[in-house]
């Protein structure tokens, strides 16, 4: 299906002569954004317009009750200069899972993908050419009703904005296994990519920072026994010769980078174990010298190596980064596939096809 998307281009691009080496994460935004509005039970008025502010009511429901969801994804340029999306249809599906959990309307998946092609095609000058850098794409949806009753909104706005990014964490991160706060419990919103999950993580992260740690290793909300995620990412461990990651099971985000890693590992015949992982077994593996690696996996960072984990009064220092074979291989593999240097045997890379030529 081909949706009608109205185009209103900027008069002059801000994207010329960008210094891609000096761009902090999430602070620079490309020329255009895609916007669509939900009213009377349907998505309408699909448009690509210059990036800019919205005017919203102080009674906008999303500001009060948090009906907001988002995605994070990337477009890259291959060494031959062509623009590519990475697994866009997975993100189209996942935002609708989040929408379902937050009682929001689903967004047509074909329109999601078509909008990405048009928008990224128009703003392709903003895609950093360097391997490991990318155009970060932020699709999001929020309630638009002007009303203070706690109810499901009847109107929504869906937006896609983009901006060039380099590496998210410049160095390995230290983790604090958190025993006071929780990120999510089964039955909560942990599987959804909704704003509240991230807002609720800020105070624990701040307190961890005051104790000298970069991020949190989240434990389950019932027993503080099972590992869930680290910071804003899924978490992987290498124990002996096996790559271990928690099964999702209701409170953990079904990460697309997580899924990508599992598929790469499988294709390389590396042993994988997706199951419940206890913090105690990590302590034991560490004391036996079997905890070889820990890393976060997310779209923004791709791989965030973990330097060590504090649990109760013990800091488990992990082997030097030079010895991290798996995390390093996975990052190189994704960067290589995205730059076109490694053959994509999975059908993940989708060439950007914009009808709007710039
Ligand atoms: C990611 O790892 O991609 C995230 O979800 C972090 C993002 C919220 C900046």
């Amino acid at each position: 299906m081909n949706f009608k998307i109205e185009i209103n281009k900027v008069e002059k691009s801000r994207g010329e002569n960008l210094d891609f080496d000096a761009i902090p994460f999430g602070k620079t935004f490309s020329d255009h954004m895609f916007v669509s509005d939900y009213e009377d039970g349907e998505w309408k008025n699909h448009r690509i317009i210059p990036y800019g502010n919205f005017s919203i009511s102080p009674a906008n429901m999303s500001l009060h009750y948090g009906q907001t969801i988002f995605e994070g994804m990337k477009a890259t340029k291959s060494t031959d200069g062509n623009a590519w999306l990475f697994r866009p249809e997975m993100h189209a599906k996942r935002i609708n899972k989040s929408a379902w959990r937050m009682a929001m309307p689903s967004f047509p998946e074909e329109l999601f993908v078509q909008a990405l092609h048009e928008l990224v095609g128009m703003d392709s000058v903003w895609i950093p050419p360097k391997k490991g850098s990318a155009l970060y794409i932020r699709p999001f949806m929020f309630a638009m009703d002007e009303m203070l009753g706690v109810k499901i909104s009847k109107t929504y706005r869906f937006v896609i904005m983009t901006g060039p990014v380099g590496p998210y964490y410049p160095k390995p991160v230290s983790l604090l296994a958190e025993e006071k706060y929780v990120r999510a419990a089964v039955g909560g919103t942990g599987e959804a990519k909704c704003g509240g999950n991230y807002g609720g993580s800020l105070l624990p992260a701040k307190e961890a920072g005051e104790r000298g740690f970069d991020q949190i290793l989240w434990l389950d909300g019932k027993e503080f026994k099972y590992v869930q995620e680290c910071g804003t990412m899924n978490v992987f461990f290498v124990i002996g010769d096996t790559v271990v990651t928690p099964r999702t099971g209701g409170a953990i985000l079904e990460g697309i980078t997580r899924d990508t890693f599992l598929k790469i590992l499988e294709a390389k015949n590396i042993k994988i174990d997706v199951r419940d992982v206890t913090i105690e077994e990590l302590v034991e593996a560490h004391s036996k010298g079997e905890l070889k690696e820990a890393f976060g996996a997310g779209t923004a960072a791709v791989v965030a190596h973990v330097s060590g984990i504090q649990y109760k009064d013990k800091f488990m220092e992990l082997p030097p980064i030079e010895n991290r074979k798996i995390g390093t291989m996975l990052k190189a593999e994704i960067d290589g596939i995205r730059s076109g240097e490694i053959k994509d045997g999975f059908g993940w890379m989708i060439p950007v096809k914009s009808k709007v030529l710039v």
Side-chain angles (χ1 to χ4, degrees):
M1 194 160 167
N2 210 353
F3 291 85
K4 184 172 175 290
I5 300 177
E6 207 120 311
I7 309 281
N8 175 6
K9 276 167 71 168
V10 293
E11 271 168 28
K12 186 167 167 20
S13 171
R14 292 176 285 108
E16 281 150 26
N17 310 318
L18 280 169
D19 178 5
F20 286 124
D21 291 327
I23 294 180
F25 183 91
K27 287 193 175 169
T28 306
F29 306 114
S30 320
D31 288 327
H32 300 95
M33 60 185 181
F34 170 84
V35 183
S36 178
D37 289 316
Y38 186 83
E39 279 165 22
D40 307 319
E42 59 175 325
W43 288 101
K44 46 177 92 157
N45 193 10
H46 320 310
R47 56 209 187 269
I48 291 178
I49 56 176
Y51 173 83
N53 294 348
F54 296 126
S55 160
I56 54 173
S57 153
N60 175 289
M61 282 184 65
S62 60
L63 298 177
H64 299 270
Y65 308 125
Q67 259 190 311
T68 68
I69 55 173
F70 68 95
E71 274 300 308
M73 51 190 298
K74 281 178 173 170
T76 45
K77 250 184 199 157
S78 45
T79 36
D80 57 13
N82 289 320
W84 300 80
L85 299 169
F86 189 76
R87 310 191 77 183
E89 74 303 333
M90 288 282 281
H91 292 276
K93 285 195 168 60
R94 190 172 65 177
I95 201 165
N96 283 336
K97 267 190 91 169
S98 301
W100 170 80
R101 179 60 184 84
M102 300 305 288
M104 297 164 87
S106 61
F107 191 78
E109 287 172 21
E110 292 108 333
L111 176 55
F112 182 103
V113 174
Q114 186 187 331
L116 284 171
H117 280 279
E118 305 286 9
L119 182 67
V120 174
M122 267 173 84
D123 280 344
S124 63
V125 54
W126 291 83
I127 307 176
K130 214 181 195 170
K131 188 155 100 176
S133 297
L135 186 75
Y136 185 76
I137 304 171
R138 170 55 60 89
F140 61 106
M141 189 200 294
F142 58 98
M144 278 296 277
D145 272 12
E146 186 180 353
M147 218 264 291
L148 293 184
V150 183
K151 286 219 171 78
I152 295 174
S153 179
K154 289 191 173 66
T155 57
Y156 295 86
R157 179 158 289 174
F158 175 88
V159 185
I160 307 178
M161 57 192 276
T162 74
V165 295
Y168 192 70
Y169 294 111
K171 60 176 189 48
V173 293
S174 58
L175 301 181
L176 170 66
E178 176 60 68
E179 289 187 279
K180 184 162 82 170
Y181 301 110
V182 296
R183 175 189 172 274
V186 174
T189 58
E191 270 189 332
K193 221 165 161 60
C194 61
N197 289 346
Y198 295 79
S201 75
L202 298 175
L203 175 72
K206 173 174 166 274
E207 291 187 7
E210 283 159 3
R211 292 177 57 189
F213 303 102
D214 298 309
Q215 277 297 343
I216 305 274
L217 182 63
W218 297 104
L219 303 179
D220 74 279
K222 201 167 161 196
E223 298 174 86
F224 292 94
K225 181 175 170 187
Y226 298 101
V227 172
Q228 289 187 328
E229 296 192 13
C230 76
T232 59
M233 294 169 288
N234 292 116
V235 65
F236 283 73
F237 304 96
V238 180
I239 304 177
D241 64 353
T242 306
V243 181
V244 180
T245 193
R247 71 181 177 90
T248 48
I252 296 176
L253 185 79
E254 288 176 358
I256 291 165
T257 307
R258 174 184 181 276
D259 180 78
T260 300
F261 284 178
L262 290 173
K263 294 207 161 70
I264 292 174
L265 292 164
E266 205 181 335
K268 290 189 179 294
N269 289 319
I270 294 170
K271 272 197 232 164
I272 312 167
D273 206 354
V274 180
R275 57 171 168 81
D276 291 337
V277 181
T278 65
I279 183 74
E280 287 298 346
E281 76 174 279
L282 297 181
V283 173
E284 201 186 316
H286 180 261
S287 73
K288 289 188 190 151
E290 288 173 359
L291 185 58
K292 310 276 187 219
E293 296 185 37
F295 53 93
T299 297
V302 185
V303 168
H305 290 292
V306 172
S307 54
I309 304 169
Q310 179 83 28
Y311 178 54
K312 298 196 187 288
D313 54 5
K314 187 175 159 57
F315 185 70
M316 298 183 270
E317 188 162 339
L318 295 181
I321 300 304
E322 312 83 81
N323 299 356
R324 312 286 185 95
K325 290 203 178 70
I326 300 285
T328 307
M329 176 278 287
L330 287 168
K331 169 95 169 72
E333 200 73 14
I334 289 215
D335 286 348
I337 290 175
R338 283 191 165 137
S339 70
E341 283 168 17
I342 296 178
K343 190 175 164 339
D344 167 23
F346 302 92
W348 291 332
M349 295 289 285
I350 309 295
V352 171
K353 284 200 192 97
S354 171
K355 283 197 272 54
V356 189
L357 295 174
V358 278

